[in-house]
Amino acid sequence: MAQAAGSRCVFLGAPGAGKGTQAKKVAESGEASGAPIAHISTGDMLRAQVSAGTELGQQAKSFMDQGQLVPDEVIIAMVQERIQQPDASSAWILDGFPRTLPQAEALDESLGDSTPLSDVIYFAVPEAELLGRLTGRRTCADCGAIWHVTNKPTKVAGKCDLCGGELTQRSDDREEAIQERLDAYRAQTAPLLDYYRSKDVLREVDANRSPDVVFEELLKLMQ
Ligand code: AMP
């Protein structure tokens, strides 16, 4: 992929819009073409902390299980540290961050005027579609590949096609937690669309199409 060096990109959209799936694909294609781009998912980072039983993980778990956002100060510090890591020095995609106005402002402040965001891409999906995407989502416990019981089923139920690992359902992909997450998105994250629109960095992709079609369009947008 002809990924611009120094690309600093935010993937914005509701839970289930496909940000994680696409960020993974973009990172894999960047790796394959010798233009690495770090995929930074705050949700994945938090889940890793929960699994490792760290203090941060213990703090975050109850918010996550209830579908609520983890407090800004915890997340902001985590992302500021992450984007300083060597693998994020040339280019990165933030998937799931920022999710609130204070997070967006803190990110702008960390980047400064000399290295601002290159793109903010909004993944547009009608709300009615999101619930089915989330309740059917399954993740491989070993390699992290994302599947769907009807939209992207594996050949053998419950087993990852790529590595044979067990498929798991995220604890916050239950219907009650999903409703909370969608409420949090509407109240706290959707206002970021106007924030980035006013800065003239927002681009929109119609993400209510097949992942391959969305991917092609994304690559064009990010070039
Ligand atoms: P995700 O995998 O992006 O859907 O995130 C899963 C959960 O992690 C969210 O429902 C929140 O509880 C928490 N989380 C992830 N990113 C953030 C963020 N930027 N701000 C606050 N909470 C977050």
PDB file of all heavy atoms in Angstrom, residues 34-61:
ATOM      1  N   GLY A  34       6.130  -2.997   3.155  1.00  0.00           N
ATOM      2  CA  GLY A  34       7.329  -2.328   3.691  1.00  0.00           C
ATOM      3  C   GLY A  34       7.063  -0.910   4.171  1.00  0.00           C
ATOM      4  O   GLY A  34       8.004  -0.128   4.306  1.00  0.00           O
ATOM      5  N   ALA A  35       5.783  -0.557   4.382  1.00  0.00           N
ATOM      6  CA  ALA A  35       5.466   0.771   4.941  1.00  0.00           C
ATOM      7  C   ALA A  35       4.645   0.556   6.202  1.00  0.00           C
ATOM      8  O   ALA A  35       3.431   0.728   6.202  1.00  0.00           O
ATOM      9  CB  ALA A  35       4.687   1.589   3.917  1.00  0.00           C
ATOM     10  N   PRO A  36       5.304   0.114   7.293  1.00  0.00           N
ATOM     11  CA  PRO A  36       4.550  -0.283   8.482  1.00  0.00           C
ATOM     12  C   PRO A  36       3.729   0.845   9.085  1.00  0.00           C
ATOM     13  O   PRO A  36       4.139   2.009   9.055  1.00  0.00           O
ATOM     14  CB  PRO A  36       5.629  -0.746   9.466  1.00  0.00           C
ATOM     15  CG  PRO A  36       6.910  -0.244   8.940  1.00  0.00           C
ATOM     16  CD  PRO A  36       6.742   0.026   7.482  1.00  0.00           C
ATOM     17  N   ILE A  37       2.573   0.479   9.550  1.00  0.00           N
ATOM     18  CA  ILE A  37       1.697   1.442  10.223  1.00  0.00           C
ATOM     19  C   ILE A  37       1.167   0.737  11.475  1.00  0.00           C
ATOM     20  O   ILE A  37       0.630  -0.373  11.377  1.00  0.00           O
ATOM     21  CB  ILE A  37       0.589   1.957   9.256  1.00  0.00           C
ATOM     22  CG1 ILE A  37      -0.315   2.972   9.948  1.00  0.00           C
ATOM     23  CG2 ILE A  37      -0.227   0.847   8.629  1.00  0.00           C
ATOM     24  CD1 ILE A  37      -1.130   3.841   8.979  1.00  0.00           C
ATOM     25  N   ALA A  38       1.377   1.320  12.627  1.00  0.00           N
ATOM     26  CA  ALA A  38       0.982   0.657  13.878  1.00  0.00           C
ATOM     27  C   ALA A  38      -0.522   0.771  14.075  1.00  0.00           C
ATOM     28  O   ALA A  38      -1.094   1.852  13.929  1.00  0.00           O
ATOM     29  CB  ALA A  38       1.718   1.296  15.053  1.00  0.00           C
ATOM     30  N   HIS A  39      -1.159  -0.355  14.394  1.00  0.00           N
ATOM     31  CA  HIS A  39      -2.591  -0.372  14.706  1.00  0.00           C
ATOM     32  C   HIS A  39      -2.715  -0.257  16.222  1.00  0.00           C
ATOM     33  O   HIS A  39      -2.356  -1.179  16.950  1.00  0.00           O
ATOM     34  CB  HIS A  39      -3.207  -1.677  14.187  1.00  0.00           C
ATOM     35  CG  HIS A  39      -4.616  -1.899  14.656  1.00  0.00           C
ATOM     36  ND1 HIS A  39      -5.215  -3.136  14.630  1.00  0.00           N
ATOM     37  CD2 HIS A  39      -5.545  -1.060  15.161  1.00  0.00           C
ATOM     38  CE1 HIS A  39      -6.451  -3.028  15.106  1.00  0.00           C
ATOM     39  NE2 HIS A  39      -6.668  -1.781  15.423  1.00  0.00           N
ATOM     40  N   ILE A  40      -3.224   0.862  16.688  1.00  0.00           N
ATOM     41  CA  ILE A  40      -3.333   1.094  18.128  1.00  0.00           C
ATOM     42  C   ILE A  40      -4.801   1.087  18.521  1.00  0.00           C
ATOM     43  O   ILE A  40      -5.539   2.029  18.223  1.00  0.00           O
ATOM     44  CB  ILE A  40      -2.667   2.436  18.510  1.00  0.00           C
ATOM     45  CG1 ILE A  40      -1.187   2.397  18.088  1.00  0.00           C
ATOM     46  CG2 ILE A  40      -2.822   2.703  20.002  1.00  0.00           C
ATOM     47  CD1 ILE A  40      -0.434   3.708  18.335  1.00  0.00           C
ATOM     48  N   SER A  41      -5.235  -0.025  19.123  1.00  0.00           N
ATOM     49  CA  SER A  41      -6.626  -0.152  19.550  1.00  0.00           C
ATOM     50  C   SER A  41      -6.669  -0.017  21.072  1.00  0.00           C
ATOM     51  O   SER A  41      -6.103  -0.858  21.783  1.00  0.00           O
ATOM     52  CB  SER A  41      -7.166  -1.521  19.118  1.00  0.00           C
ATOM     53  OG  SER A  41      -8.222  -1.916  19.968  1.00  0.00           O
ATOM     54  N   THR A  42      -7.324   1.029  21.561  1.00  0.00           N
ATOM     55  CA  THR A  42      -7.384   1.207  23.022  1.00  0.00           C
ATOM     56  C   THR A  42      -8.187   0.069  23.663  1.00  0.00           C
ATOM     57  O   THR A  42      -7.863  -0.379  24.760  1.00  0.00           O
ATOM     58  CB  THR A  42      -7.974   2.575  23.399  1.00  0.00           C
ATOM     59  OG1 THR A  42      -9.098   2.853  22.571  1.00  0.00           O
ATOM     60  CG2 THR A  42      -6.944   3.664  23.237  1.00  0.00           C
ATOM     61  N   GLY A  43      -9.215  -0.433  22.963  1.00  0.00           N
ATOM     62  CA  GLY A  43      -9.994  -1.556  23.497  1.00  0.00           C
ATOM     63  C   GLY A  43      -9.101  -2.791  23.658  1.00  0.00           C
ATOM     64  O   GLY A  43      -9.113  -3.448  24.700  1.00  0.00           O
ATOM     65  N   ASP A  44      -8.276  -3.096  22.633  1.00  0.00           N
ATOM     66  CA  ASP A  44      -7.365  -4.254  22.722  1.00  0.00           C
ATOM     67  C   ASP A  44      -6.349  -4.050  23.849  1.00  0.00           C
ATOM     68  O   ASP A  44      -6.031  -4.987  24.581  1.00  0.00           O
ATOM     69  CB  ASP A  44      -6.593  -4.451  21.408  1.00  0.00           C
ATOM     70  CG  ASP A  44      -7.463  -5.045  20.305  1.00  0.00           C
ATOM     71  OD1 ASP A  44      -8.608  -5.459  20.590  1.00  0.00           O
ATOM     72  OD2 ASP A  44      -6.996  -5.087  19.136  1.00  0.00           O
ATOM     73  N   MET A  45      -5.853  -2.818  23.965  1.00  0.00           N
ATOM     74  CA  MET A  45      -4.855  -2.557  25.021  1.00  0.00           C
ATOM     75  C   MET A  45      -5.483  -2.771  26.402  1.00  0.00           C
ATOM     76  O   MET A  45      -4.874  -3.371  27.285  1.00  0.00           O
ATOM     77  CB  MET A  45      -4.330  -1.115  24.912  1.00  0.00           C
ATOM     78  CG  MET A  45      -3.472  -0.894  23.693  1.00  0.00           C
ATOM     79  SD  MET A  45      -3.115   0.868  23.433  1.00  0.00           S
ATOM     80  CE  MET A  45      -1.867   1.131  24.670  1.00  0.00           C
ATOM     81  N   LEU A  46      -6.720  -2.300  26.554  1.00  0.00           N
ATOM     82  CA  LEU A  46      -7.385  -2.467  27.851  1.00  0.00           C
ATOM     83  C   LEU A  46      -7.683  -3.941  28.126  1.00  0.00           C
ATOM     84  O   LEU A  46      -7.489  -4.421  29.246  1.00  0.00           O
ATOM     85  CB  LEU A  46      -8.690  -1.661  27.891  1.00  0.00           C
ATOM     86  CG  LEU A  46      -8.536  -0.141  27.913  1.00  0.00           C
ATOM     87  CD1 LEU A  46      -9.877   0.540  27.672  1.00  0.00           C
ATOM     88  CD2 LEU A  46      -7.958   0.329  29.248  1.00  0.00           C
ATOM     89  N   ARG A  47      -8.132  -4.673  27.095  1.00  0.00           N
ATOM     90  CA  ARG A  47      -8.426  -6.106  27.305  1.00  0.00           C
ATOM     91  C   ARG A  47      -7.144  -6.854  27.697  1.00  0.00           C
ATOM     92  O   ARG A  47      -7.175  -7.761  28.524  1.00  0.00           O
ATOM     93  CB  ARG A  47      -9.085  -6.718  26.061  1.00  0.00           C
ATOM     94  CG  ARG A  47     -10.575  -6.379  25.955  1.00  0.00           C
ATOM     95  CD  ARG A  47     -11.261  -7.058  24.783  1.00  0.00           C
ATOM     96  NE  ARG A  47     -10.900  -6.464  23.518  1.00  0.00           N
ATOM     97  CZ  ARG A  47     -11.451  -5.346  23.011  1.00  0.00           C
ATOM     98  NH1 ARG A  47     -12.419  -4.738  23.647  1.00  0.00           N
ATOM     99  NH2 ARG A  47     -11.053  -4.857  21.862  1.00  0.00           N
ATOM    100  N   ALA A  48      -6.007  -6.446  27.112  1.00  0.00           N
ATOM    101  CA  ALA A  48      -4.734  -7.094  27.476  1.00  0.00           C
ATOM    102  C   ALA A  48      -4.404  -6.807  28.938  1.00  0.00           C
ATOM    103  O   ALA A  48      -3.914  -7.685  29.661  1.00  0.00           O
ATOM    104  CB  ALA A  48      -3.614  -6.591  26.558  1.00  0.00           C
ATOM    105  N   GLN A  49      -4.695  -5.593  29.388  1.00  0.00           N
ATOM    106  CA  GLN A  49      -4.438  -5.239  30.798  1.00  0.00           C
ATOM    107  C   GLN A  49      -5.359  -6.031  31.723  1.00  0.00           C
ATOM    108  O   GLN A  49      -4.946  -6.476  32.789  1.00  0.00           O
ATOM    109  CB  GLN A  49      -4.688  -3.733  31.030  1.00  0.00           C
ATOM    110  CG  GLN A  49      -3.785  -2.819  30.248  1.00  0.00           C
ATOM    111  CD  GLN A  49      -2.403  -2.669  30.884  1.00  0.00           C
ATOM    112  OE1 GLN A  49      -2.229  -2.946  32.067  1.00  0.00           O
ATOM    113  NE2 GLN A  49      -1.432  -2.260  30.108  1.00  0.00           N
ATOM    114  N   VAL A  50      -6.611  -6.210  31.291  1.00  0.00           N
ATOM    115  CA  VAL A  50      -7.565  -6.987  32.104  1.00  0.00           C
ATOM    116  C   VAL A  50      -7.062  -8.427  32.209  1.00  0.00           C
ATOM    117  O   VAL A  50      -6.990  -9.003  33.305  1.00  0.00           O
ATOM    118  CB  VAL A  50      -8.992  -6.942  31.501  1.00  0.00           C
ATOM    119  CG1 VAL A  50      -9.925  -7.915  32.211  1.00  0.00           C
ATOM    120  CG2 VAL A  50      -9.564  -5.529  31.546  1.00  0.00           C
ATOM    121  N   SER A  51      -6.667  -9.021  31.079  1.00  0.00           N
ATOM    122  CA  SER A  51      -6.194 -10.416  31.103  1.00  0.00           C
ATOM    123  C   SER A  51      -4.959 -10.569  31.960  1.00  0.00           C
ATOM    124  O   SER A  51      -4.781 -11.585  32.633  1.00  0.00           O
ATOM    125  CB  SER A  51      -5.795 -10.910  29.711  1.00  0.00           C
ATOM    126  OG  SER A  51      -6.808 -10.757  28.832  1.00  0.00           O
ATOM    127  N   ALA A  52      -4.087  -9.560  31.923  1.00  0.00           N
ATOM    128  CA  ALA A  52      -2.846  -9.655  32.698  1.00  0.00           C
ATOM    129  C   ALA A  52      -3.079  -9.340  34.174  1.00  0.00           C
ATOM    130  O   ALA A  52      -2.169  -9.503  34.989  1.00  0.00           O
ATOM    131  CB  ALA A  52      -1.793  -8.715  32.107  1.00  0.00           C
ATOM    132  N   GLY A  53      -4.292  -8.875  34.503  1.00  0.00           N
ATOM    133  CA  GLY A  53      -4.629  -8.604  35.907  1.00  0.00           C
ATOM    134  C   GLY A  53      -3.887  -7.407  36.492  1.00  0.00           C
ATOM    135  O   GLY A  53      -3.680  -7.340  37.704  1.00  0.00           O
ATOM    136  N   THR A  54      -3.481  -6.472  35.650  1.00  0.00           N
ATOM    137  CA  THR A  54      -2.761  -5.295  36.164  1.00  0.00           C
ATOM    138  C   THR A  54      -3.731  -4.373  36.909  1.00  0.00           C
ATOM    139  O   THR A  54      -4.959  -4.509  36.792  1.00  0.00           O
ATOM    140  CB  THR A  54      -2.140  -4.478  35.007  1.00  0.00           C
ATOM    141  OG1 THR A  54      -3.218  -3.983  34.203  1.00  0.00           O
ATOM    142  CG2 THR A  54      -1.200  -5.316  34.159  1.00  0.00           C
ATOM    143  N   GLU A  55      -3.161  -3.383  37.608  1.00  0.00           N
ATOM    144  CA  GLU A  55      -3.992  -2.437  38.350  1.00  0.00           C
ATOM    145  C   GLU A  55      -4.896  -1.669  37.364  1.00  0.00           C
ATOM    146  O   GLU A  55      -6.090  -1.488  37.610  1.00  0.00           O
ATOM    147  CB  GLU A  55      -3.081  -1.481  39.105  1.00  0.00           C
ATOM    148  CG  GLU A  55      -3.788  -0.806  40.243  1.00  0.00           C
ATOM    149  CD  GLU A  55      -2.870   0.181  40.936  1.00  0.00           C
ATOM    150  OE1 GLU A  55      -1.673  -0.127  41.119  1.00  0.00           O
ATOM    151  OE2 GLU A  55      -3.373   1.274  41.267  1.00  0.00           O
ATOM    152  N   LEU A  56      -4.289  -1.257  36.240  1.00  0.00           N
ATOM    153  CA  LEU A  56      -5.077  -0.539  35.234  1.00  0.00           C
ATOM    154  C   LEU A  56      -6.228  -1.410  34.716  1.00  0.00           C
ATOM    155  O   LEU A  56      -7.361  -0.966  34.561  1.00  0.00           O
ATOM    156  CB  LEU A  56      -4.155  -0.126  34.073  1.00  0.00           C
ATOM    157  CG  LEU A  56      -4.651   0.904  33.086  1.00  0.00           C
ATOM    158  CD1 LEU A  56      -3.485   1.544  32.359  1.00  0.00           C
ATOM    159  CD2 LEU A  56      -5.616   0.350  32.059  1.00  0.00           C
ATOM    160  N   GLY A  57      -5.923  -2.697  34.498  1.00  0.00           N
ATOM    161  CA  GLY A  57      -6.938  -3.626  34.014  1.00  0.00           C
ATOM    162  C   GLY A  57      -8.080  -3.774  35.011  1.00  0.00           C
ATOM    163  O   GLY A  57      -9.259  -3.779  34.654  1.00  0.00           O
ATOM    164  N   GLN A  58      -7.712  -3.863  36.291  1.00  0.00           N
ATOM    165  CA  GLN A  58      -8.747  -4.013  37.324  1.00  0.00           C
ATOM    166  C   GLN A  58      -9.622  -2.763  37.401  1.00  0.00           C
ATOM    167  O   GLN A  58     -10.829  -2.842  37.565  1.00  0.00           O
ATOM    168  CB  GLN A  58      -8.092  -4.280  38.679  1.00  0.00           C
ATOM    169  CG  GLN A  58      -7.577  -5.710  38.779  1.00  0.00           C
ATOM    170  CD  GLN A  58      -6.663  -5.902  39.980  1.00  0.00           C
ATOM    171  OE1 GLN A  58      -6.661  -5.100  40.913  1.00  0.00           O
ATOM    172  NE2 GLN A  58      -5.878  -6.957  39.949  1.00  0.00           N
ATOM    173  N   GLN A  59      -8.970  -1.630  37.236  1.00  0.00           N
ATOM    174  CA  GLN A  59      -9.700  -0.348  37.255  1.00  0.00           C
ATOM    175  C   GLN A  59     -10.664  -0.264  36.068  1.00  0.00           C
ATOM    176  O   GLN A  59     -11.797   0.180  36.195  1.00  0.00           O
ATOM    177  CB  GLN A  59      -8.664   0.755  37.052  1.00  0.00           C
ATOM    178  CG  GLN A  59      -8.662   1.873  38.032  1.00  0.00           C
ATOM    179  CD  GLN A  59      -7.563   2.870  37.603  1.00  0.00           C
ATOM    180  OE1 GLN A  59      -6.480   2.504  37.167  1.00  0.00           O
ATOM    181  NE2 GLN A  59      -7.880   4.137  37.719  1.00  0.00           N
ATOM    182  N   ALA A  60     -10.208  -0.728  34.896  1.00  0.00           N
ATOM    183  CA  ALA A  60     -10.982  -0.569  33.659  1.00  0.00           C
ATOM    184  C   ALA A  60     -12.120  -1.581  33.538  1.00  0.00           C
ATOM    185  O   ALA A  60     -13.157  -1.305  32.924  1.00  0.00           O
ATOM    186  CB  ALA A  60     -10.049  -0.706  32.447  1.00  0.00           C
ATOM    187  N   LYS A  61     -11.950  -2.761  34.129  1.00  0.00           N
ATOM    188  CA  LYS A  61     -12.845  -3.889  33.841  1.00  0.00           C
ATOM    189  C   LYS A  61     -14.321  -3.585  34.092  1.00  0.00           C
ATOM    190  O   LYS A  61     -15.178  -3.889  33.262  1.00  0.00           O
ATOM    191  CB  LYS A  61     -12.422  -5.123  34.645  1.00  0.00           C
ATOM    192  CG  LYS A  61     -13.183  -6.375  34.234  1.00  0.00           C
ATOM    193  CD  LYS A  61     -12.655  -7.599  34.933  1.00  0.00           C
ATOM    194  CE  LYS A  61     -13.347  -8.896  34.540  1.00  0.00           C
ATOM    195  NZ  LYS A  61     -14.692  -8.853  34.059  1.00  0.00           N
TER     196      LYS A  61
END
